[in-house]
Amino acid sequence: MKIDAIYLREIQMPLVKPFQTSFGTTTARRILLVEIRTEGFTGWGECVAGEHPYFSEECIDTAWPIMLHELAPALASADPEHGGKCSEIFRLVRGNRMAKAALENAVWDAEAQMRRVPLADLIGGSREVIPCGVSIGIQPTLEQLLAEIETELAAGYQRIKLKCKPGWDVKVLEAVRNRWPDILLSCDANSAYRLRDADHLVTFDQFNLLMIEQPLWADDFYYHSMLQKQLETSICLDESIRNRRDALAAIEMESCRIINIKNGRVGGFSEAIAVHNAAHERGIPVWCGGMLETGIGRSHNIALSSLENFTLPGDVSASRRYWKEDIIEPEVEVSPLGEITVPNTPGRGFEVRTDLIEKLTVRKEEIRS
Ligand code: OSB
Ligand code: MG
């Protein structure tokens, strides 16, 4: 494809309600969007890096210059044949996977439009609907958490994931399990524990959790494998899995029994598909994680979740849980069965609301070949 121009922009959007994890609270998102103009089509990508480098080393203020000075110029002069070529084009830039993913995914988005196929089909997806869960942040009180869970279950969501940390874990899980003995329930620590907490984490086994996500260090497989030996509950790795080789190492070492795949965390669709395939071949189920995305990232997550081995409900949920007004049309909706329908129209399957994006834009750059 001949790339005419790449636009980078930052938009700012307040969340409907604050989202608290073990590493902090987010009340408004600063989001870096990519727009690639090519042969009459416009591909969109979203950089999922956070406002701070807390989830990973990347944040929006590191992704911006890397994209502006390194990745976007390389891409604009390379005219890639398809999305799968991007990793080669970005080869010299080490790391910065969220920045790379935003550009690569915009190429896949444009390519799907050009070929007149749904993005899900282009990446090899087969599901018509995807099962959805929700990730619920740490709340000011237990009562507020229970009310929130009640709302999400009534909306149909198939799995409840609770953010946890020392001091917001056993008592909370106990109260939730007592109230809802049969729901699919999991927790996500975002690296809040240490191996010395193993005896404490073993007590989570009594709550029949689907998984405990990323209990230990973000860069670790070894100690997770030691912890997994002590737990009945399956460990799911999120932060630790950066690419296919990491997935293979984690599976081989039995550091986890489930993998969370995030497009941004692994560097885009190509590597996400590679992680998916590696896990699939080894009988390890995967699900699609979320990073408080706008509709653009969300539409890409929906396409990714259509791959066969995404058997567990993901964190891909309705636009209205995050935004008063999303930047796509229609907004992402979840059925009363807790499912999202994978679009069957060419491209990402959602229109981008460019007028609204223009209003939300706080900075913008153009890159030409
Ligand atoms: O660890 O999955 C995570 C949000 C921001 C950073 C990390 C994570 C999350 C979530 C929210 O859990 C998922 C979502 O609803 O988008
Ligand atoms: Mg997580």
Side-chain angles (χ1 to χ4, degrees), residues 14-289:
L15 285 168
V16 169
K17 50 186 180 245
F19 187 77
Q20 188 183 345
T21 68
S22 64
F23 58 77
T25 303
T26 309
T27 51
R29 297 285 341 270
R30 293 174 57 203
I31 294 157
L32 204 168
L33 295 178
V34 174
E35 187 182 346
I36 295 183
R37 302 263 177 90
T38 167
E39 301 177 31
F41 297 95
T42 303
W44 286 89
E46 173 170 346
C47 180
V48 301
E51 293 71 37
H52 301 279
Y54 298 165
F55 174 83
S56 76
E57 291 86 344
E58 287 184 271
C59 65
I60 174 164
D61 288 319
T62 64
W64 182 273
I66 294 289
M67 290 164 84
L68 180 62
H69 302 304
E70 300 280 350
L71 303 173
L75 183 62
S77 58
D79 295 335
E81 283 150 54
H82 57 85
K85 293 280 181 194
C86 291
S87 54
E88 181 60 20
I89 295 164
F90 299 153
R91 191 186 73 246
L92 290 176
V93 177
R94 195 165 286 181
N96 293 283
R97 293 180 302 280
M98 292 175 178
K100 289 175 178 171
L103 286 158
E104 173 174 328
N105 293 350
V107 173
W108 285 92
D109 192 42
E111 184 185 346
Q113 296 170 51
M114 275 181 198
R115 295 181 191 262
R116 304 198 178 285
V117 295
L119 182 56
D121 291 16
L122 182 66
I123 67 163
S126 55
R127 292 173 187 279
E128 287 172 12
V129 296
I130 62 166
C132 304
V134 286
S135 173
I136 302 184
I138 294 165
Q139 303 293 314
T141 66
L142 184 57
E143 288 64 40
Q144 277 165 275
L145 176 68
L146 297 176
E148 183 107 352
I149 296 173
E150 193 153 293
T151 304
E152 302 298 8
L153 290 172
Y157 287 102
Q158 299 182 20
R159 182 271 280 141
I160 301 290
K161 159 173 141 183
L162 305 180
K163 289 292 188 181
C164 66
K165 64 175 184 180
W168 182 264
D169 52 16
V170 175
K171 274 200 195 112
V172 172
L173 291 168
E174 186 172 33
V176 173
R177 212 17 132 197
N178 284 341
R179 174 100 168 253
W180 293 282
D182 299 320
I183 58 168
L184 278 185
L185 183 65
S186 69
C187 66
D188 184 358
N190 289 112
S191 303
Y193 299 95
R194 296 296 171 254
L195 201 61
R196 63 170 177 268
D197 301 315
D199 291 344
H200 175 65
L201 293 168
V202 165
T203 68
F204 292 19
D205 280 342
Q206 64 188 301
F207 305 121
N208 187 27
L209 302 179
L210 179 61
M211 68 192 104
I212 168 166
E213 187 177 339
Q214 198 71 41
L216 307 177
W217 299 270
D219 59 359
D220 169 76
F221 302 124
Y222 178 67
Y223 293 101
H224 278 100
S225 82
M226 291 179 65
L227 179 64
Q228 182 67 91
K229 285 189 202 350
Q230 299 180 55
L231 295 182
E232 277 170 38
T233 308
S234 293
I235 292 177
C236 169
L237 290 180
D238 174 357
E239 284 90 326
S240 295
I241 308 291
R242 300 162 300 177
N243 50 42
R244 177 175 185 274
R245 286 179 298 100
D246 282 348
L248 292 175
I251 294 168
E252 180 85 5
M253 292 172 74
E254 297 181 34
S255 310
C256 65
R257 302 189 196 123
I258 296 173
I259 292 176
N260 162 336
I261 301 183
K262 289 177 179 167
N263 244 323
R265 198 194 65 229
V266 302
F269 275 117
S270 307
E271 197 64 28
I273 295 164
V275 173
H276 164 275
N277 293 348
H280 198 191
E281 285 155 17
R282 288 157 185 83
I284 298 290
V286 304
W287 54 279
C288 184

